[in-house]
Amino acid sequence: MSETVKQIDPREAAFQAHLDADGKIEPKDWMPEAYRKTLVRQISQHAHSEIIGMQPEGNWITRAPSLRRKVALIAKVQDEAGHGLYLYSAAETLGASRDDMVDALIEGKAKYSTIFNYPTPTWADIGAIGWLVDGAAITNQVPLCRTSYGPYARAMVRVCKEESFHQRQGYEIMLQLARGSAEQKKMAQEALNRWWWPCLMMFGPSDADSPNSAQSMAWRIKRHSNDELRQRFVDQTVPQAEFLGLTIPDPDLKWNEEKGRYDFGAIPWEEFYAVLKGNGPCNRQRAAARRKAHEEGAWVREAALAHAEKRAAKAAAAAAA
Ligand code: BYC
């Protein structure tokens, strides 16, 4: 009786042993195709999130309440664009084509963080994004500075430094509103009410429902599970809300003395999956704005290409002379 024995590729065994010893993988190293695909998926989604993430805040640049706030907000939005560009470059080191990634986003085929499909109706939402969205992003991304793929890990180091500045500017906006008039404090509370649950969803489905986590953790792409990071975020953020004198909109939130952490209420996962499927409050608006910006930027890409071609022709002529 013949039996087919699955041969373990020795390269795969060496690859896993290298990861288990906390080694990094660099672009020219051998890697399993599934590892490469997972990284392209995660890094491109991350890049798209940064690019779409410019919209909810960009929408307030012309209405920032002072010159100082406007300068800080412009710088923050510009930083997000920069993060998107580093991340597209990191994905390119894995053989992904930037045109394909950009097309997937424009055509609405690519995922990006659900958080950016929510509206920013008041100035307090800008404070809440900086405090909570960047706070959640930092919680998720600090461990990514140790992710196993070198170019992604290195991009994250700079991204995290900039995100921590963003978070402070958001918290400072919230502090000023919370210590301002009764109307301003109400605005800050309402923004916290709007952003709290969507921020908890940023960490992805609970561990039992996360199809990618186990493999990504074995490959040390992810260093902690979605639920671990979500818990860390809650534990860090509750005292910050208390300092602001604001209330987290969760009647089940309670300190658990025994476990040394906060217990919190049920996350409305049906809302998460609806937003993920394209049915959030702003999904269509975000995609349309991105498409319009891409179309309106066509002349810049053409000019840059014409300039690059002219320089290349000049260099070739000089080399031939
Ligand atoms: N939104 O198996 P799972 C920022 C998807 S930008 C949308 O747990 P994974 C900022 C997930 O992709 C912040 N989709 O997946 C910018 C997967 O779908 P596919 C962005 C989500 O990858 C501007 C499926 O659900 N940060 O900081 O192991 C201004 C199953 O999930 C979401 C990053 O991208 C979501 N919230 O874990 C301010 C960080 N959650 O691909 C701030 C890097 C899950 O199988 N990414 N999905 O079809 C990660 O750490 C991981 O990809 C995730 C998900 C934790 C997000």
Side-chain angles (χ1 to χ4, degrees):
M1 199 172 83
S2 77
E3 196 177 286
T4 318
V5 178
K6 190 174 177 262
Q7 294 288 321
I8 296 175
D9 185 334
R11 289 175 306 180
E12 195 150 350
F15 172 83
Q16 189 62 50
H18 180 63
L19 294 181
D20 293 344
D22 230 1
K24 288 265 182 286
I25 303 298
E26 295 298 337
K28 289 189 175 148
D29 294 341
W30 183 87
M31 63 186 86
E33 183 54 17
Y35 174 85
R36 193 189 69 77
K37 274 197 174 146
T38 294
L39 277 168
V40 169
R41 177 183 64 78
Q42 177 167 327
I43 299 173
S44 64
Q45 287 176 3
H46 194 162
H48 299 325
S49 303
E50 300 282 357
I51 297 300
I52 297 287
M54 290 193 281
Q55 291 187 35
E57 292 174 289
N59 154 32
W60 271 92
I61 289 174
T62 55
R63 294 175 291 161
S66 69
L67 182 61
R68 183 173 161 259
R69 293 292 187 205
K70 194 193 286 271
V71 169
L73 187 58
I74 290 175
K76 179 180 192 303
V77 172
Q78 208 166 21
D79 286 349
E80 312 298 359
H83 300 172
L85 299 183
Y86 312 144
L87 287 162
Y88 284 130
S89 299
E92 283 177 313
T93 66
L94 291 153
S97 130
R98 177 149 343 187
D99 285 346
D100 290 349
M101 291 186 278
V102 169
D103 287 349
L105 181 63
I106 302 288
E107 289 162 15
K109 291 183 195 149
K111 282 201 177 81
Y112 60 84
S113 182
T114 45
I115 195 72
F116 301 115
N117 292 307
Y118 290 86
T120 44
T122 71
W123 173 248
D125 292 271
I126 301 308
I129 290 183
W131 171 34
L132 300 170
V133 176
D134 285 271
I138 293 166
T139 309
N140 167 277
Q141 289 168 24
V142 164
L144 288 175
C145 296
R146 293 185 300 116
T147 193
S148 58
Y149 188 58
Y152 191 25
R154 291 188 287 274
M156 281 300 108
V157 173
R158 176 159 175 187
V159 168
C160 284
K161 284 189 180 149
E162 294 178 349
E163 301 287 29
S164 73
F165 167 75
H166 298 167
Q167 203 227 4
R168 283 181 206 191
Q169 70 85 41
Y171 194 72
E172 204 238 330
I173 292 174
M174 293 303 272
L175 195 59
Q176 200 170 16
L177 292 173
R179 292 186 177 168
S181 65
E183 205 181 333
Q184 285 173 316
K185 186 167 182 184
K186 181 166 173 275
M187 208 161 91
Q189 180 64 55
E190 286 171 357
L192 167 58
N193 296 350
R194 277 192 285 279
W195 291 90
W196 178 252
W197 293 104
C199 278
L200 296 195
M201 296 173 205
M202 277 178 79
F203 295 91
S206 58
D207 295 350
D209 297 319
S210 163
N212 302 305
S213 278
Q215 183 60 73
S216 287
M217 285 178 68
W219 279 330
R220 300 198 182 211
I221 293 173
K222 285 167 87 161
R223 312 291 304 216
H224 305 279
S225 77
N226 299 354
D227 285 335
E228 275 168 16
L229 293 174
R230 190 171 5 251
Q231 183 69 51
R232 194 177 283 186
F233 173 72
V234 171
D235 294 343
Q236 279 165 2
T237 311
V238 174
Q240 294 169 0
E242 281 168 0
F243 186 75
L244 292 172
L246 300 179
T247 309
I248 302 276
D250 177 358
D252 297 322
L253 185 78
K254 211 166 108 237
W255 177 251
N256 183 327
E257 191 62 52
E258 202 183 309
K259 294 191 172 151
R261 61 165 208 220
Y262 283 93
D263 290 335
F264 52 93
I267 294 174
W269 288 116
E270 63 297 339
E271 176 181 320
F272 170 76
Y273 287 109
V275 179
L276 201 57
K277 280 198 195 114
N279 297 319
C282 300
N283 293 60
R284 285 167 193 82
Q285 183 184 327
R286 300 287 183 246
R290 186 66 230 133
R291 257 194 309 277
K292 183 165 177 280
H294 189 72
E295 282 158 15
E296 288 176 357
W299 70 271
V300 179
R301 293 189 294 278
E302 280 160 24
L305 202 63
H307 179 69
E309 279 165 2
K310 211 167 148 192
R311 276 177 67 120
K314 228 172 160 182

